[in-house]
Amino acid sequence: MIQEAFNFYKPCKLLQPYVRYYWVFSSNQMPNTYTFPIGCPQIIFHKRTPLYIPELGTTQSKLTISGQVNFSSHLQADDNIEMIVVVFHPHTINMFLNAPASSFYNQEISGYDIEDEQLNKLAAQVFECEDNNLCVTLIENWLLDRLSIRSYDTIYRVKRMNAAIEQLFTAPQTLVADLSSACCLSKKQFEREFNLHIGMNPKEYARIVRFQKALKQMQHQQGKINQGDLAYTCGYSDQSHLIREFRKLCGHTPLSLLEFTTPYSDLFTTPV
């Protein structure tokens, strides 16, 4: 008999500007899931079997840092799984790890490789704890401790980058020059800061936002879409641009995706 459990947790108020949510998933069924670029980095704790990603030819570490990606991938496992995931806002993982977001670009990095003693200690506590509710509390306390030692300059830089993210969420077609102005930075400074905090360049990240924005529209239109209207609403230059970008990011056109799966926007849907 298939047994699965999926639970979401809302972060405390102090962490909400940095952490979107936590989720816990367990299953005795071997999964084979196709996922799209979601636009948010994650830290993953695998309490049982880690996931294999054939597109990268790699198996996730028990402690994995999953960065920004620009491709879709399959997630597979050959045994039972139980995982706890921290989903960050697009620009905030730097607040908690002593490594730039750009070092995780298109990769699944072992958390043990960044040589963070306190993170390793947290992982050991999570793996020893049988109560996943308590595990989430342990993770949240660790995040709060990290937040408490960050300098004003670090916090300010993250808040400044938030202005660009909010603008992209509203209008993904916004020019890089206008994004840099919103952050009171030169174009060159802005691109450097953006890559440091988000993990990819602004134009590439805008592609992910447009794609996720289109998924959101499709998610709420119950399978009835007009590709021309979808392109206009989500910031694509035209319908051909929409179709071309969809094929690059998920291997489908918007119409063929409806036949393959039910669209769901991870970036624009907060489950808690």
Side-chain angles (χ1 to χ4, degrees):
M1 183 175 65
I2 298 174
Q3 294 181 333
E4 291 187 346
F6 216 143
N7 294 300
F8 295 92
Y9 300 79
K10 186 176 183 178
C12 69
K13 188 173 182 179
L14 194 60
L15 286 172
Q16 286 174 20
Y18 310 100
V19 177
R20 293 184 61 205
Y21 55 89
Y22 315 97
W23 58 272
V24 177
F25 177 66
S26 61
S27 176
N28 64 351
Q29 181 186 32
M30 296 180 289
N32 187 344
T33 304
Y34 191 52
T35 66
F36 307 137
I38 71 170
C40 293
Q42 304 169 87
I43 297 180
I44 305 168
F45 300 84
H46 286 290
K47 301 182 76 173
R48 296 186 187 174
T49 306
L51 298 173
Y52 175 70
I53 303 173
E55 286 78 5
L56 294 176
T58 187
T59 298
Q60 291 181 333
S61 168
K62 284 180 66 67
L63 171 61
T64 291
I65 301 168
S66 184
Q68 297 282 4
V69 300
N70 61 8
F71 61 90
S72 296
S73 59
H74 293 81
L75 303 177
Q76 303 172 356
D78 57 9
D79 206 341
N80 296 352
I81 61 172
E82 184 177 5
M83 55 197 295
I84 302 173
V85 182
V86 185
V87 182
F88 295 91
H89 289 289
H91 58 300
T92 60
I93 196 169
N94 281 13
M95 290 289 294
F96 306 99
L97 299 178
N98 299 320
S102 54
S103 62
F104 311 126
Y105 173 63
N106 275 351
Q107 296 185 75
E108 304 289 319
I109 298 292
S110 171
Y112 299 111
D113 289 344
I114 65 172
E115 300 180 351
D116 185 324
E117 264 186 59
Q118 295 305 312
L119 178 60
N120 294 349
K121 182 178 178 181
L122 170 65
Q125 292 174 331
V126 169
F127 297 144
E128 290 171 3
C129 179
E130 295 184 2
D131 183 343
N132 284 332
N133 292 321
L134 179 55
C135 288
V136 172
T137 299
L138 290 170
I139 293 168
E140 180 145 282
N141 287 339
W142 181 85
L143 293 168
L144 285 168
D145 285 343
R146 277 292 162 98
L147 185 61
S148 69
I149 62 173
R150 291 309 183 210
S151 67
Y152 172 80
D153 178 66
T154 300
I155 295 172
Y156 172 74
R157 290 168 70 185
V158 168
K159 287 183 176 179
R160 182 172 59 188
M161 199 52 55
N162 186 64
I165 294 299
E166 289 184 348
Q167 181 62 30
L168 280 174
F169 280 11
T170 302
Q173 69 275 25
T174 303
L175 298 175
V176 175
D178 293 332
L179 293 173
S180 62
S181 294
C183 295
C184 300
L185 293 169
S186 70
K187 185 172 179 289
K188 188 173 182 179
Q189 287 175 318
F190 171 75
E191 289 176 333
R192 183 169 60 247
E193 284 286 298
F194 195 95
N195 196 43
L196 173 70
H197 290 284
I198 285 78
M200 57 174 55
N201 68 58
K203 289 184 178 180
E204 186 173 21
Y205 189 70
R207 292 177 59 209
I208 307 301
V209 175
R210 275 194 300 265
F211 171 68
Q212 284 286 333
K213 202 174 182 71
L215 290 180
K216 177 190 175 185
Q217 294 293 318
M218 296 168 68
Q219 177 181 338
H220 295 292
Q221 289 176 359
Q222 300 180 341
K224 299 177 181 179
I225 64 167
N226 179 295
Q227 293 187 131
D229 291 343
L230 189 63
Y232 175 77
T233 302
C234 299
Y236 292 94
S237 56
D238 54 33
Q239 183 173 320
S240 296
H241 185 206
L242 166 77
I243 293 171
R244 186 167 62 250
E245 288 290 291
F246 257 67
R247 282 177 171 154
K248 287 179 181 177
L249 291 173
C250 72
H252 292 271
T253 68
L255 291 178
S256 68
L257 182 63
L258 289 174
E259 299 174 0
F260 175 72
T261 189
T262 301
Y264 178 86
S265 172
D266 288 283
L267 185 60
F268 289 98
T269 304
T270 302
V272 289

